[in-house]
Amino acid sequence: MKIYLMILILSIQFCASSRGTEIPYESLTVEQLAEVGPRLEEYDWWEKDRFGIFIHWGAASLLQLHGGGWQREILPESDNRNLGMNRITPGVIPPAILDGSYKKYLKKTNVPMEIYDNLYQIFNPVKFNADEWVKTIQDAGAHYIVFTAKHHDGFAMWDTKYTDYNIMNTPFGRDICKELADACHKRGMKLFWYFSIADWTDTRYNLATYDPVFKDVYTGQLRELATNYGKIDGFWWDGGMYSKDAFEIFHMLDQLQPGYICNGRLGGRTKAVVIDGKSRNLKPHVYGSPEQRMGEFNMDELWETCAVMQAAEWFYYGADDIKTPWTCLRYVIDAACGDGNLLLDFGPDELGQIPSTIKNNLKIMGQNLDELGTGIYSTRGGPYKPSFWGGSTRVGSTVYLHITQKWPGGVLSLPALSAKVLSAKSVNGVEVGFSQDEQGLTIRLDPQFHHELDTVIALTIDGDAMDIEPIETRHFMGAMVSIDATATASSMTHESSGRGDAGTVIYGSDEAEEIELYYGEAAEHVGKTEIDGKTIKKSKHKKKGKWGNAHGHHWRFWAAKPDDGQPWIQVELDEEKLVGRIMLQEKCSRIKAYELQVESDGQWVTVHAGKSISLFSLKLAEPIKTKKVRLWVKEQEVAEFLKEGAAIHTFDLYGPDYRK
C-alpha cells in the first residue's frame, strides 16, 4: 500500500511539472505552464560567481567594425532593419574584397551590404585556440563566458543546417562553438550562448508579418545549440522583439538543458492565466541586463551589467582606447556591492587572437582578484549601499567595506550598523581603528595602508550580516554644489555637441525631473513589460537635458583636441562655495598623469595628483572654499582614429560630508 501511494504521489508530481518531459508545448496545462522557465534557486552559482566575460566575434572583425551588423548599410527596402535582406553571393567573392579595396571601410559605418555580407568568404581565424582563450579568462578571475553564437547580422558561428551563412562555409571551416564548448567543459568553465532572435540577413525575418517559417528557423537553431554541445549553463538573449511567446522557448530549453538560466531580453515572457479561480501573471525568473551603465543596488531583482573593455565598442576595434585593468576591476567591485554581476566584453581579432592589451588587462585583473576576491565572490551586496565612498558586501558574520575613494585624511564615517562590530582588519592583515555608537560607525586607517584601487576592510560583527536591512549612505555625503555650473576647456573636439563640448560634464537641474518611457535600461528588467504581447507598464527615467543623453552616459562627454598637448577643463561655480569632494568619470583611459587644482587668491593650487582617473572620487582631507576647480592633464594618450585627446564624462563637485 505504501509503495502504491508513493508511486501515485510521484506520478502526480511528474504530471504537474513540464520539466524533463516530452509534453508538447500546446498540451501543457496551466499548472504546468507555471513551472516553465528558470527557477530562482538555479541562479545560486551565478550570484556567487559575480564575474563573467562577454565575447563578441565574427567576420566583422576583418574591418574592425565595433558594432558588427550595426555598421552594415541600411537600405530603404529593409524597413530600418525590420525586414531581413542580404547581398550574400556564395562562392562569388565581390571584386572589392578580392582586390583589397574593401579595406577603405575599416572602422566605418554604413558598409555596403555587398561587402559586409560576403566578408565571411575570407574569414579565416587560423590562430583561434579555444583552450588558450578559456585559460586566459579563467586566470582573470572570471567564472563564466557568454559567446555570440549569432549576432543580429545572422552569421552563425556553429555548424547549423538552417542557413548557409555560417562558419562552416568560410575558409576556416571549423565549428567555433564546438571547440569553445569543449574547452569550457575541459576546464570547468560555465558557458552561455548569446543568441539574437533578430536576423537582418534572413529574408524570412519580417517584423511586420512575423513569418512562422522564421520562427521555425530560430527555434531550430536554438535546438541545435542546446543539443549538440553538451552542458550549456545559460542563454543571453538579444534582439528579442520577434518572440511573441517566450514560454515556448523556455519549455524547449527546460527539456534540453535543465537548470539553464537567462537574461530578460526576450519578448512575451509574461503571461496572464487563471489558476484555481485566481488571476496570475506568470513570469519566469530572468535577470536584468543594464548596458554600459552600472545597475543600481537591488537585492530583489537579479541583474548583470554588461560593459565593454574597449571604448564603447563590442567587437574588435584595433588597439585604440582600451580601458585600464583598474577601470575593469572597479566595474567588478561596483557590481558586487550593488548585489549584481559584471559581464565584461572584448572582441578577438580577425585571426582569432585575444589582443595583447586585453590579455594584459585580464592578467592584472586576475592577480588583483586573488586578494580582492575574498570580499567579492560568494558574497551578497550590502548592507551599506554604494555611494561616493565605495560600497560593501557581506557573508556570514563579515561585512566587507570596499573603499574606492581617495581619502587622504584616512577617516571614513558611515551610518550606524544594527549589529556590534567586534573587529576590523584590512584583507592584507592590517588592524583598522574604528569606533561605533548609535549615530554611526567611524573607520580610521593610515593612508600608507590604503589600496590604490580598493581598500577592503573586513568587519566582524556579532550576528548574521544578512539580517541587517540595506543602509543608505548617500545622506552622510555632501550635496552637489556644481549643478548648472559653467565648464570651459583649453580645447574641445565638437563645440555645442554632446560628444565633445565641455558643458557636457555638468549636471543640469533640468535633468532631475523624472519622465515615463516604455523603453530604457534599468537595474531591473530591460524593455517593455508585456502580457500576451500588450504593453501594460511604463518605467521612470531621468530627463536627458540639452545634451541628448543622461549625465554620465557613454555618448556624452568632453574631449580635447588631439594636438592639445596638456589640455585642461575647469568647472566654475556661480560663487565661492565649500568643496569637500571632487568626482570625475573618464571616457576610456587616456589620461596618464594629471593634477587637480583649485583657485585660491587668483592662483591655481594643486590638491591632488595622480596617474589614472577612470572612476574617481576624492574626499579632501579638509573642505576648501573656492569658485573654480580644474583638471590639468599633464600626460595623455591620443585616440588617433577618433581624433580625440583626453576625455571626461562627468566633473562634479560636492560640499563637505554631513558627518566627519
Side-chain angles (χ1 to χ4, degrees), residues 427-448:
V427 291
N428 54 10
V430 178
E431 293 291 337
V432 176
F434 70 94
S435 57
Q436 181 181 25
D437 57 33
E438 60 183 17
Q439 299 300 314
L441 172 68
T442 300
I443 300 295
R444 296 179 179 84
L445 182 63
D446 191 298
Q448 67 174 310

Side-chain angles (χ1 to χ4, degrees), residues 493 557 559-562 587 590 637-640 642-647:
T493 52
F557 56 86
K561 290 183 177 179
K587 181 195 175 194
R590 300 173 193 160
E637 287 183 352
V638 171
E640 297 292 350
L642 296 174
K643 296 181 173 59
E644 292 177 0

Side-chain angles (χ1 to χ4, degrees), residues 345-357:
D345 175 81
F346 72 86
D349 68 18
E350 73 278 11
L351 294 177
Q353 302 171 112
I354 300 176
S356 59
T357 47

Side-chain angles (χ1 to χ4, degrees), residues 547-615:
W547 298 111
N549 284 298
H551 189 59
H553 193 280
H554 63 279
W555 288 335
R556 173 175 161 178
F557 56 86
W558 161 75
K561 290 183 177 179
D563 58 356
D564 190 349
Q566 291 192 330
W568 54 261
I569 181 170
Q570 71 179 36
V571 173
E572 182 173 354
L573 308 176
D574 57 355
E575 62 182 4
E576 283 194 342
K577 295 179 181 178
L578 278 176
V579 174
R581 185 183 299 273
I582 303 171
M583 294 187 65
L584 293 139
Q585 180 185 345
E586 184 183 5
K587 181 195 175 194
C588 309
S589 299
R590 300 173 193 160
I591 297 174
K592 303 306 175 186
Y594 68 91
E595 291 185 14
L596 274 171
Q597 301 174 320
V598 300
E599 189 183 60
S600 177
D601 296 327
Q603 301 292 320
W604 288 110
V605 178
T606 299
V607 295
H608 179 79
K611 294 183 178 180
S612 175
I613 292 284
S614 183
L615 305 168

Side-chain angles (χ1 to χ4, degrees), residues 75-132:
L75 298 179
E77 52 266 42
S78 74
D79 188 25
N80 197 27
R81 301 191 179 97
N82 290 328
L83 182 65
M85 61 182 302
N86 69 70
R87 296 288 185 269
I88 301 171
T89 55
V92 180
I93 301 176
I97 293 180
L98 285 173
D99 66 20
S101 61
Y102 77 98
K103 294 179 182 178
K104 69 182 179 182
Y105 294 103
L106 186 77
K107 299 185 179 180
K108 301 292 187 181
T109 56
N110 210 32
V111 177
M113 279 190 187
E114 182 184 29
I115 290 175
Y116 186 97
D117 294 354
N118 290 291
L119 288 173
Y120 80 102
Q121 297 198 64
I122 59 168
F123 185 48
N124 192 17
V126 293
K127 294 191 177 180
F128 168 64
N129 184 319
D131 194 63
E132 182 181 297

Side-chain angles (χ1 to χ4, degrees), residues 216-231:
D216 292 341
V217 171
Y218 73 73
T219 54
Q221 288 184 322
L222 280 171
R223 183 174 289 277
E224 289 177 335
L225 288 170
T227 303
N228 299 338
Y229 300 98
K231 173 65 176 172

Side-chain angles (χ1 to χ4, degrees), residues 63-67 71 107-108 310-311 313 315-321 347-348 641-642:
L63 284 176
Q64 299 179 22
L65 303 177
H66 60 82
Q71 289 172 262
K107 299 185 179 180
K108 301 292 187 181
Q310 182 171 28
E313 327 306 352
F315 289 81
Y316 177 62
Y317 192 58
D320 283 345
D321 276 347
F641 183 78
L642 296 174

Side-chain angles (χ1 to χ4, degrees), residues 242-306:
Y242 202 96
S243 169
K244 284 294 186 181
D245 191 350
F247 283 74
E248 186 171 1
I249 293 174
F250 290 158
H251 175 58
M252 177 180 72
L253 296 179
D254 282 342
Q255 299 174 71
L256 300 176
Q257 290 290 343
Y260 77 96
I261 61 176
C262 65
N263 71 337
R265 298 189 184 190
L266 197 61
R269 55 182 175 76
T270 304
K271 187 178 290 291
V273 298
V274 177
I275 299 178
D276 296 331
K278 296 180 179 180
S279 297
R280 283 182 56 186
N281 290 329
L282 302 183
K283 191 175 182 181
H285 292 286
V286 296
Y287 59 87
S289 50
E291 184 171 321
Q292 298 283 48
R293 61 178 292 275
M294 190 56 60
E296 298 172 2
F297 181 90
N298 192 335
M299 297 195 68
D300 298 319
E301 298 280 351
L302 301 162
W303 65 269
E304 171 192 71
T305 280
C306 53

